[in-house]
């Protein structure tokens, strides 16, 4: 099996309810939920790297470049990138134009891990498996499906990723 690195960039999976603003935000201590998700799943082998905690709707080319640089610097051949669903497809295509020779899988959640009934842990598990078994390239794993970067598109009406 391939060694896996999880690069955390933020997105809904890492948000919490902020009682002061009555909105979803990142925790004040800038912590990620990914180690907890892995621990609950008894999945102890991936290396977790916190790159940023940012809503993907606020990403710009500098943020995507930082993700590419983190991927290129990683010694692991398999990379999972946690990412907001809003611009996941755009980032996947950006990465696919700049990185080769690794298997890169973007994933995230429609509902935060901090709230009940999150799809995040399921998506993380699928992404870790996909990163280990898929050929080199850039993919997205959401809702039990794997998509090549070119086909990674969020269906906002249905609240899921479709072909």
């Amino acid at each position: 099996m391939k060694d896996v690195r999880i690069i955390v960039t933020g997105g809904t999976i890492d948000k919490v309810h902020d009682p002061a603003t009555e909105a979803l935000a990142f925790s004040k201590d800038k912590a990620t939920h990914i180690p907890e998700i892995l621990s609950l799943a008894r999945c102890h082998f991936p290396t977790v790297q916190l790159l940023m905690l940012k809503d993907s709707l606020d990403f710009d080319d500098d943020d995507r470049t930082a993700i590419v640089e983190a991927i290129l610097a990683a010694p692991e051949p398999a990379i999972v990138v946690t990412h907001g669903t809003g611009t996941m497809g755009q980032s996947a295509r950006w990465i696919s134009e700049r990185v080769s020779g690794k298997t890169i899988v973007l994933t995230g959640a429609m509902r935060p891990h901090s709230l009940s009934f999150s799809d995040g842990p399921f998506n993380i598990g699928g992404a870790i498996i996909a990163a280990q078994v898929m050929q080199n390239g850039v993919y997205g794993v959401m809702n039990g499906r794997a998509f090549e970067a070119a086909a990674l598109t969020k269906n906002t009406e249905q609240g899921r990723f479709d072909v």
Side-chain angles (χ1 to χ4, degrees):
M1 284 291 162
K2 298 178 193 175
D3 290 333
V4 177
R5 174 173 297 259
I6 300 174
I7 298 174
V8 176
T9 69
T12 297
I13 195 168
D14 264 321
K15 289 189 175 179
V16 297
H17 179 256
D18 182 347
T21 63
E22 291 296 322
L24 295 175
F26 297 107
S27 67
K28 296 192 186 327
D29 66 358
K30 303 295 182 197
T32 175
H33 295 292
I34 303 308
E36 177 186 2
I37 292 170
L38 295 174
S39 178
L40 290 170
R42 299 175 192 225
C43 180
H44 300 284
F45 69 92
T47 299
V48 177
Q49 175 184 348
L50 176 58
L51 183 63
M52 65 183 89
L53 287 176
K54 194 168 183 178
D55 190 304
S56 74
L57 295 175
D58 298 326
F59 276 16
D60 58 23
D61 290 351
D62 289 339
D63 297 314
R64 290 184 180 86
T65 297
I67 296 168
V68 166
E69 289 172 353
I71 291 167
L72 293 172
E76 295 84 359
I79 307 293
V80 171
V81 177
T82 64
H83 196 288
T85 60
T87 63
M88 187 183 291
Q90 181 181 348
S91 291
R93 290 181 281 282
W94 175 277
I95 294 165
S96 70
E97 294 172 359
R98 292 161 176 81
V99 179
S100 61
K102 293 188 180 212
T103 305
I104 302 143
V105 180
L106 285 75
T107 195
M110 300 290 203
R111 185 170 169 89
H113 173 68
S114 63
L115 301 177
S116 299
F117 309 111
S118 175
D119 57 328
F122 179 79
N123 293 333
I124 290 284
I128 291 169
I129 292 167
Q132 292 177 83
V133 301
M134 306 229 1
Q135 294 180 359
N136 288 349
V138 181
Y139 307 90
V141 168
M142 290 291 295
N143 314 119
R145 300 186 79 173
F147 303 91
E148 291 186 1
L152 184 59
T153 305
K154 182 178 178 179
N155 180 331
T156 54
E157 289 180 18
Q158 296 294 319
R160 65 180 186 230
F161 283 71
D162 288 325
V163 288

